[in-house]
Amino acid sequence: MTFDLTPEQDQLRDAVRALGRRYGHSYFVEKARAGEHTTELWAEAGRLGYLGVNIPTEYGGGGGGITELAIVCEELAAAGCPLLLLVVSPAIAATVLSRHGTEEQRKRHLPGLADGSQKIVFAITEPEAGSNFHRLGTVARRDGDGWLLNGRKCYISGVDEAGHVLVVARTEDSSTGKLKPALFLVPTDAAGLTRSKLDMEIVSPENQFLLYLDDVRVPADALLGESLDAGLPALFAGLNPERITVAAMGAGTGRYAIERASEYTATRKVWGGRSIGSHQGVSHPLAHAAVQVELARLMIQKAGTLYDAGRDLEAGVAGNMAKYAAGEAAALAVDTAVQVLGGAGMTTEYGVATLLGAVRAGRIAPVSREMILNFVAQHVLGQDKSY
Ligand SMILES: Cc1cc2nc3c(=O)[nH]c(=O)nc-3n(C[C@H](O)[C@H](O)[C@H](O)COP(=O)(O)OP(=O)(O)OC[C@H]3O[C@@H](n4cnc5c(N)ncnc54)[C@H](O)[C@@H]3O)c2cc1C
């Protein structure tokens, strides 16, 4: 067992940290408030190879694993730039394409994802189905040599920044007559695909959308993979990378908040010559949050290591636990940071309250804490399903 990163991973961590710090949280907030995207940061991260660290080298990537991508997610978040689209485009879409796309799809999409010139977002959530993906109502029907898609999706992140949406739909299996899931690469400018932006209480340059698919016609090669059989494994292939990288983003955000708060409490004096951080009522909550964040980081490291070793089932348990732990730790860290900063905690200038919405959402999305507890109860503790 080792807790050390490889020299290459250490270098990656230092380099991404330096990049994140050059932009910082004020850049992130300014972009969000102006309704703009973090285009410069994304482009630079792409140019430096950070967006493609987990993409195979033959498609322009760095040939690393989810451990490397988690480092990128954590360090940018630790610099105050938690970019959700890292979870969607390089983690979910690139993994699904690398593992289950056709050779033609890999060649067409992966180089652009690797250098950051292309983004592919992911649409599974629907208004009616919610957490229960077995109830998905978006349907793909064969139409000549292509497909016709109809349905509704909600909370889909980054559609306005992406060239394609990876849409999860149901198709009819001609051999059994049963509906089975399939993934489709739908261009965001496809006829019949419309969107409306959701107003979210999150300070973020990345937006969520309602998506309407009304007779969206896509060619046969929009179906991800060689056949309909690729659908379910492709869907599951995206889950572990999603959980591990979103957990890393949470851990990075927690670190960022604790660092801001510690700097403040170490120097702020209101009673005589003592810093407020010398009062245990102030320092213990911060120390407690730091312990929770560090525990989550350990679980993220374990999940990444298992995933990169091809141990998908064990990575599933560890990844879910990491996501749960990091989601809770990030929310605790940001809330504690706001509290110990007092009034300054609620100002934009000190840059912690701006993260309240994002960390709160991190306990709901991309998978809620309750659904993770259901997973652990069933798969680790052997309990029956209640639903
Ligand atoms: C900021 C943000 C970005 C997002 N980006 C994307 C995206 O890019 N693509 C995408 O497809 N989706 C995205 N989502 C959607 C997200 O994945 C869902 O919101 C999440 O999976 C929960 O689904 P729901 O909102 O339908 O909640 P519901 O399923 O309606 O659940 C509501 C509440 O009930 C609980 N609950 C439901 N069923 C059970 C049960 N059986 N046992 C215990 N508790 C239960 C849930 O945990 C939750 O707390 C995003 C959401 C947010 C907030």
Side-chain angles (χ1 to χ4, degrees), residues 22-376:
R22 267 201 287 117
Y23 285 87
H25 189 60
S26 50
Y27 163 80
F28 182 87
V29 172
E30 276 161 26
K31 289 285 170 184
R33 300 266 198 239
E36 294 171 6
H37 302 305
T38 52
T39 315
E40 306 80 6
L41 173 55
W42 190 273
E44 196 167 351
R47 241 186 347 266
L48 293 167
Y50 306 152
L51 303 178
V53 278
N54 60 318
I55 293 176
T57 48
E58 60 266 42
Y59 304 105
I66 285 301
T67 301
E68 280 75 17
L69 188 59
I71 289 172
V72 175
C73 294
E74 182 181 336
E75 289 309 319
L76 287 181
C81 300
L83 299 182
L84 183 58
L85 290 191
L86 287 172
V87 173
V88 178
S89 195
I92 303 178
T95 303
V96 166
L97 274 159
S98 301
R99 287 180 69 163
H100 296 280
T102 63
E103 181 55 17
E104 206 281 325
Q105 287 167 342
R106 285 195 284 260
K107 279 190 184 141
R108 194 183 333 149
H109 295 290
L110 287 176
L113 296 186
D115 68 19
S117 59
Q118 225 201 95
K119 292 184 190 114
I120 299 181
V121 293
F122 182 66
I124 182 166
T125 309
E126 296 185 359
E128 299 302 323
S131 304
N132 183 1
F133 102 91
H134 298 286
R135 285 189 59 205
L136 288 186
T138 298
V139 174
R141 291 202 170 76
R142 285 194 190 277
D143 179 48
D145 58 353
W147 296 89
L148 209 55
L149 274 67
N150 280 284
R152 302 275 176 274
K153 298 284 178 186
C154 55
Y155 310 119
I156 309 309
S157 301
V159 188
D160 55 339
E161 300 184 57
H164 288 78
V165 194
L166 197 53
V167 173
V168 184
R170 295 161 72 98
T171 58
E172 195 174 58
D173 185 330
S174 53
S175 56
T176 63
K178 284 190 178 154
L179 289 169
K180 60 196 248 179
L183 276 63
F184 293 88
L185 283 153
V186 180
T188 45
D189 61 359
L193 181 72
T194 50
R195 61 177 186 246
S196 65
K197 186 172 164 292
L198 283 162
D199 290 329
M200 306 289 282
E201 296 298 333
I202 304 173
V203 179
S204 171
E206 299 163 323
N207 301 310
Q208 279 69 47
F209 293 87
L210 282 166
L211 274 189
Y212 308 91
L213 296 107
D214 296 303
D215 285 339
V216 176
R217 193 174 191 288
V218 289
D221 65 0
L223 174 72
L224 186 114
E226 298 290 350
S227 74
L228 279 181
D229 292 335
L232 203 55
L235 188 53
F236 282 116
L239 296 185
N240 283 337
E242 171 198 76
R243 280 148 177 62
I244 296 167
T245 52
V246 85
M249 220 175 84
T253 305
R255 276 173 51 204
Y256 166 84
I258 291 167
E259 202 178 307
R260 292 285 77 69
S262 307
E263 284 163 7
Y264 186 84
T265 57
T267 50
R268 168 89 171 151
K269 293 181 177 137
V270 285
W271 304 99
R274 284 167 177 270
S275 66
I276 55 169
S278 68
H279 303 299
Q280 287 153 348
V282 172
S283 63
H284 280 191
L286 267 183
H288 174 64
V291 171
Q292 302 306 311
V293 168
E294 203 52 32
L295 290 173
R297 293 183 74 220
L298 210 49
M299 204 59 186
I300 293 163
Q301 202 180 345
K302 176 176 175 178
T305 303
L306 288 170
Y307 181 82
D308 290 333
R311 293 159 66 179
D312 282 0
L313 286 178
E314 294 157 276
V317 173
N320 271 294
M321 288 185 172
K323 196 275 159 185
Y324 180 94
E328 299 302 304
L332 176 73
V334 171
D335 187 62
T336 304
V338 170
Q339 188 66 24
V340 301
L341 263 87
M346 293 307 296
T347 64
T348 306
E349 181 190 347
Y350 281 86
V352 283
T354 39
L355 290 163
L356 283 169
V359 291
R360 194 62 194 77
R363 297 171 81 209
I364 297 166
V367 55
S368 70
R369 59 194 296 285
E370 292 76 23
M371 293 313 288
I372 293 180
L373 293 176
N374 284 334
F375 175 90
V376 173

